Amino acid sequence: MTEYYRPIVRFGPDRPEGALPLAGGPGWFTEVQLRRRDTAPRALPAQDLPPDWRQRLTAPRAAVAGLDMGRANVMGILNVTPDSFSDGGSHQTANAALHRARGMVAAGVDMIDVGGESTRPGAATIPPEAEIARIEPVIRAIGHEIPVPVSIDTRKSSVAEAAVEAGAALVNDVSGFTYDPMLGRFCQTRGLPVCVMHALGDPETMQDDPRYDDVLLDVYDFLERQVSALERTGIPRDRIVVDPGIGFGKTMAHNLTLLHNVSLFHGMGCPVLVGVSRKGFIGTLSGAVEPSGRVAGSLAAALAAAAQGVQIVRVHDVTETVQALKVWRAIEQAEA
């Protein structure tokens, strides 16, 4: 029976002797939770980890697109779509998008994620030509002025190629490289880092009664399979980021289970990205009907992810998230 080990992550200066470092960063752990399918989780000393899990959980993560993976980085969302669930229509022109990007940089963003196709629940696929027309001038304008890396949020190789030619440095695929069989090969030939996300189905149908045998382990197994497949194309594991896909084919219970146990995904030996910003489950929990009213709940979720050692949080509210992370780090380390 396959075994999975979730580190119980801690931060702070009171690190006990024998504690293991998490992914080479400031987090550490002395205990892991052993999980198997159809059996109750149980606690084990971290020293009892099998060698392969110990190596993946503790090894430092290489920089991704120039970003230090030894800390929590903030990826700012820049949707250049008319119909995204939170900010659709706000940044459709290159000038409006560039203005927004400048504001993110002033706030301390680490990376800007540009998307030209809405992946909200119920959204339909658009032609690659329309997606390219939206993202290419925006990425090119940002690249001429903005001193932070840009990622392209797309499922399509032709869109990724246009984005990379315009200056994008990472490909973020919400389909986990299942939609376009050419996309992984393109990223390999260009030496690009990638982000592999889990989604159950496509955006148009993903929220139609999603079901899992065990959501945590099912998502883990999918991501491990896709990471291994990308390795076989020639993309090294240290250039792959994994994302459990909060809200993509998941119920409230699924989302909360994944977030509560998100440190499990460090076991792949990859940086972990979590995108929870303004999502529907936050509105359900908080009563905030409008996405723009979910800032506080989004900050709570981002800090909960950072407390489990997540290396990238993908957010709409950059100013607030950067400030919250600075204060959280200072408290955890007991120093400014």
Side-chain angles (χ1 to χ4, degrees), residues 169 184-194 234-236 239:
R185 181 61 62 188
F186 166 75
C187 294
Q188 184 273 327
T189 59
R190 295 299 185 95
L192 294 167
V194 300
I235 300 175
R239 287 212 305 262

Side-chain angles (χ1 to χ4, degrees), residues 2-324:
T2 303
E3 296 181 337
Y4 307 78
Y5 297 87
R6 181 174 78 86
I8 309 304
V9 183
R10 302 283 185 266
F11 287 83
D14 301 322
R15 179 170 167 170
E17 185 176 352
L20 299 181
L22 178 71
W28 46 267
F29 59 102
T30 60
E31 188 178 49
V32 296
Q33 185 184 68
L34 169 62
R35 300 186 73 107
R36 299 187 182 102
R37 291 183 183 272
D38 303 320
T39 62
R42 64 187 179 92
L44 290 175
Q47 297 296 337
D48 290 352
L49 275 168
D52 56 340
W53 276 86
R54 180 177 179 132
Q55 169 63 20
R56 285 191 177 183
L57 286 171
T58 61
R61 304 302 187 244
V64 172
L67 299 185
D68 178 9
M69 292 293 109
R71 64 178 182 89
N73 292 269
V74 175
M75 173 187 276
I77 298 167
L78 184 56
N79 288 320
V80 290
T81 59
D83 56 346
S84 291
F85 82 97
S86 179
D87 55 357
S90 298
H91 313 114
Q92 281 186 266
T93 69
N95 283 339
L98 184 58
H99 178 75
R100 174 64 179 148
R102 289 178 184 136
M104 290 184 188
V105 171
V109 79
D110 297 295
M111 175 178 279
I112 296 173
D113 191 44
V114 176
E117 178 182 55
S118 176
T119 51
R120 62 179 170 76
T125 300
I126 66 169
E129 296 78 14
E131 195 174 342
I132 291 169
R134 292 173 181 176
I135 60 94
E136 193 275 340
V138 170
I139 294 174
R140 196 170 296 281
I142 291 173
H144 284 154
E145 179 180 329
I146 301 299
V148 301
V150 172
S151 62
I152 176 62
D153 179 0
T154 188
R155 303 177 287 170
K156 302 163 190 167
S157 56
S158 59
V159 177
E161 184 170 4
V164 170
E165 291 298 328
L170 179 146
V171 174
N172 179 16
D173 181 1
V174 299
S175 82
F177 289 80
T178 63
Y179 181 84
D180 182 344
M182 299 301 295
L183 183 55
R185 181 61 62 188
F186 166 75
C187 294
Q188 184 273 327
T189 59
R190 295 299 185 95
L192 294 167
V194 300
C195 181
V196 181
M197 196 193 84
H198 174 274
L200 188 67
D202 58 34
E204 204 163 0
T205 61
M206 64 188 179
Q207 289 305 110
D208 296 347
D209 192 26
R211 300 188 182 202
Y212 300 85
D213 293 328
D214 181 317
V215 66
L216 181 64
L217 304 187
D218 289 355
V219 171
Y220 187 98
D221 286 350
F222 168 86
L223 291 173
E224 178 60 45
R225 285 194 301 272
Q226 295 307 109
V227 169
S228 296
L230 289 170
E231 281 188 301
R232 289 193 294 273
T233 72
I235 300 175
R237 191 172 285 253
D238 64 8
R239 287 212 305 262
I240 303 174
V241 178
V242 295
D243 177 356
I246 303 300
F248 282 78
K250 280 93 175 175
T251 64
M252 166 82 77
H254 295 149
N255 289 327
L256 295 177
T257 295
L258 289 166
L259 288 169
H260 182 74
N261 297 283
V262 74
S263 63
L264 179 75
F265 296 98
H266 293 297
M268 281 177 233
C270 302
V272 181
L273 182 151
V274 166
V276 294
S277 184
R278 301 187 184 182
K279 290 196 171 175
F281 82 97
I282 294 175
T284 302
L285 287 171
S286 65
V289 176
E290 293 300 320
S292 60
R294 301 171 189 166
V295 178
S298 299
L299 291 175
L303 291 178
Q308 293 197 54
V310 164
Q311 288 92 352
I312 305 173
V313 289
R314 183 177 181 273
V315 305
H316 296 88
D317 305 294
V318 172
T319 300
E320 296 84 352
T321 306
V322 169
Q323 184 182 110

